[in-house]
Amino acid sequence: MKNYQWYSDQWGEPTRDDRRLFLLLTIGVFQAGLSWKAAAAKKDVFLKNFCDMDFRQVAALFPDDIERIAHDPEMIRNPRKIKAVIKNARAIVKLLEEYDSFADYLWDFVGGVPIIKQYESVEEVGNTLPEATVIARDMKKRGFSFVGPVITCMFLKAAGIIQDQVLI
């Protein structure tokens, strides 16, 4: 099995698991400027470097941790993206003052039920949606990083919060 197959298998499956959501968001951050396959193939490296996706532990990382992670030869060694993951972990921790979980925050936008978008053909499926843009804007306001409309839309689709149905 290819080392990115897990991502294809996960794609569109609704999840309320905070660690999985943090992992999918991290894939989105590292996917910027790369292919999804390149980012998703680094799952094990992300788990190793980002405390098994425990966002509370990641939120506590220091600048020397960024340096250590950036020197991992298996890692996508972009310091801005590494810092963004830590910043996102801190934003999730801050969310917990208001929500029971990261999942509750995200699912609250859609009333707890996935948004299903129907299309006549695959060509119609877009990489941005108004709903994702609203969520991206709110995430940015709350201190998240690398969460533009495209990354956020792909993240929400991967997490099954937004689902595409092609009616062929």
Side-chain angles (χ1 to χ4, degrees):
M1 177 164 81
K2 293 192 167 63
N3 51 1
Y4 55 78
Q5 185 60 48
W6 72 272
Y7 189 73
S8 294
D9 295 344
Q10 158 67 51
W11 187 267
E13 287 297 316
T15 183
R16 286 177 163 76
D17 179 292
D18 278 359
R19 283 186 187 212
R20 178 157 296 245
L21 288 166
F22 183 44
L23 173 62
L24 294 173
L25 179 59
T26 299
I27 298 294
V29 166
F30 279 95
Q31 184 180 326
L34 301 172
S35 74
W36 67 266
K37 289 179 182 176
K42 297 294 184 179
K43 175 186 176 187
D44 292 337
V45 179
F46 296 151
L47 291 172
K48 177 180 76 173
N49 283 301
F50 296 121
C51 313
D52 205 28
M53 303 319 291
D54 180 335
F55 55 83
R56 286 175 184 86
Q57 288 183 41
V58 175
L61 294 178
F62 290 102
D64 55 331
D65 294 307
I66 296 166
E67 198 67 26
R68 176 185 47 78
I69 293 167
H71 282 92
D72 181 339
E74 296 177 347
M75 186 68 184
I76 297 169
R77 294 184 268 181
N78 181 321
R80 286 182 57 235
K81 291 180 180 182
I82 295 167
K83 287 176 189 169
V85 171
I86 295 167
K87 191 173 177 188
N88 291 344
R90 291 175 180 159
I92 293 170
V93 170
K94 185 108 178 85
L95 273 178
L96 299 183
E97 295 171 7
E98 203 177 324
Y99 292 89
D100 289 337
S101 66
F102 183 35
D104 284 353
Y105 163 73
L106 293 168
W107 284 95
D108 196 41
F109 282 99
V110 297
V113 179
I115 293 174
I116 299 173
K117 297 287 186 177
Q118 295 186 324
Y119 303 95
E120 295 294 321
S121 69
V122 176
E123 291 76 29
E124 292 179 21
V125 178
N127 62 359
T128 61
L129 290 166
E131 297 89 343
T133 302
V134 166
I135 295 170
R137 222 176 272 131
D138 192 75
M139 289 176 80
K140 268 197 167 103
K141 268 197 310 203
R142 292 173 180 273
F144 285 84
S145 190
F146 273 83
V147 288
V150 174
I151 288 173
T152 302
C153 189
M154 294 300 112
F155 160 58
L156 295 170
K157 287 181 178 191
I161 296 168
I162 296 176
Q163 299 178 14
D164 297 325
Q165 283 185 350
V166 180
L167 310 168
I168 302 176

